[in-house]
Amino acid sequence: MSRMLPWHVAPPSGDPLREGFFSRPVLDVARDLLGCRLVSTVSGARTAGVIVETEAYQGADDPASHAATRAGRTHRNRAMFGAAGRAYVYRSYGVHWCMNIVTGDEGCPEAVLLRGLEPIEGLDTAAARRGGRRPLAAGPGRLCEALGITDALYGHLVTGPPLEVVSGWRVPDALVGVSGRIGVSEAADRPFRFYVLGSTGVSRHRLSAPSKTEKG
DNA sequence: GGTCGGATCATCT
DNA sequence: GATGATCCGACCG
């Protein structure tokens, strides 16, 4: 069941976000990214969608993060330690690309995983990239496929082409859902996932995630 | 409607 | 050598 949302009735408008938007605490950025647009220009094709689901990964103390203390700084996660506003793209399960935006202060490895969006521009291109499969961009792997995001964009700033985040509508608190994180085996219960209630771009996933707190 | 197993490989131990 | 911030198709009801 989908809800009527602002971008369904009003033409998109807004300006590219600046790096200052991203050099804030990761939870603030994750929440405020809802309603913004992600625009990619890859191989001459422009595709865009409204961000409707995000997940925060909070620094070295976060055991679910690729940059947890256990792992430390590696070749893969080096972008997370860099300046805010850059893309951290990685390969998931050897199959999919997933994209984060680095937040916070340089040296502090925080990032927001983009988990879902509602495509609003370049729908034909996105559908072709997805081989016609639906949903188009609900879920981090699908999102990257629909927008043509690969590791070619690793470390790129997201403040201008080929990949940029544009301000959109401030999603009211009443429409923002908060939950634990999906697919992680540790600290999954931290309320670091943000999504737009009623949006078709929010990923569906298996219920009854295994509880990590159970003990003998 | 739902639940389940396999794909597939860069990365890290 | 094991793991994983996922997705898809098969199968069951």
Side-chain angles (χ1 to χ4, degrees):
Chain A
M1 176 164 170
S2 64
R3 178 193 294 271
M4 192 62 97
L5 294 161
W7 47 87
H8 297 147
V9 295
S13 62
D15 303 303
L17 298 179
R18 300 182 178 209
E19 291 175 58
F21 176 92
F22 300 102
S23 38
R24 297 183 296 141
V26 66
L27 292 174
D28 293 343
V29 177
R31 189 258 178 261
D32 292 346
L33 277 173
L34 297 179
C36 296
R37 271 173 296 147
L38 180 65
V39 184
S40 81
T41 309
V42 176
S43 303
R46 184 180 154 106
T47 45
V50 178
I51 297 169
V52 294
E53 183 180 357
T54 62
E55 224 169 56
Y57 288 85
Q58 190 182 49
D61 291 337
D62 182 350
S65 170
H66 287 170
T69 301
R70 176 179 65 256
R73 183 174 181 148
T74 67
H75 184 260
R76 178 176 69 160
N77 68 24
R78 66 191 186 281
M80 290 185 74
F81 291 82
R86 291 179 182 273
Y88 165 42
V89 181
Y90 70 94
R91 192 81 132 151
S92 175
Y93 288 87
V95 188
H96 310 286
W97 296 108
C98 294
M99 176 193 163
N100 298 250
I101 303 176
V102 179
T103 71
D105 297 325
E106 188 158 358
C108 180
E110 297 181 343
V112 175
L113 172 69
L114 302 184
R115 287 196 57 92
L117 56 78
E118 286 192 22
I120 57 171
E121 191 179 337
L123 296 181
D124 291 344
T125 299
R129 287 177 179 145
R130 292 270 303 132
R133 291 188 305 272
R134 301 248 167 192
L136 235 38
R142 297 175 181 135
L143 183 156
C144 285
E145 191 173 23
L147 265 62
I149 296 168
T150 69
D151 65 343
L153 295 171
Y154 188 99
H156 272 246
L157 272 173
V158 298
T159 55
L163 190 59
E164 63 184 329
V165 181
V166 180
S167 65
W169 296 269
R170 169 79 185 180
V171 179
D173 288 340
L175 289 185
V176 176
V178 182
S179 82
R181 293 177 290 191
I182 295 174
V184 298
S185 57
E186 293 189 74
D189 53 342
R190 295 189 190 180
F192 289 178
R193 170 174 172 255
F194 302 87
Y195 59 99
V196 178
L197 296 172
S199 167
T200 56
V202 174
S203 65
R204 280 179 287 283
H205 54 96
R206 289 185 200 178
L207 302 172
S208 69
S211 172
K212 184 76 178 177
T213 57
E214 296 285 342
K215 278 194 172 178

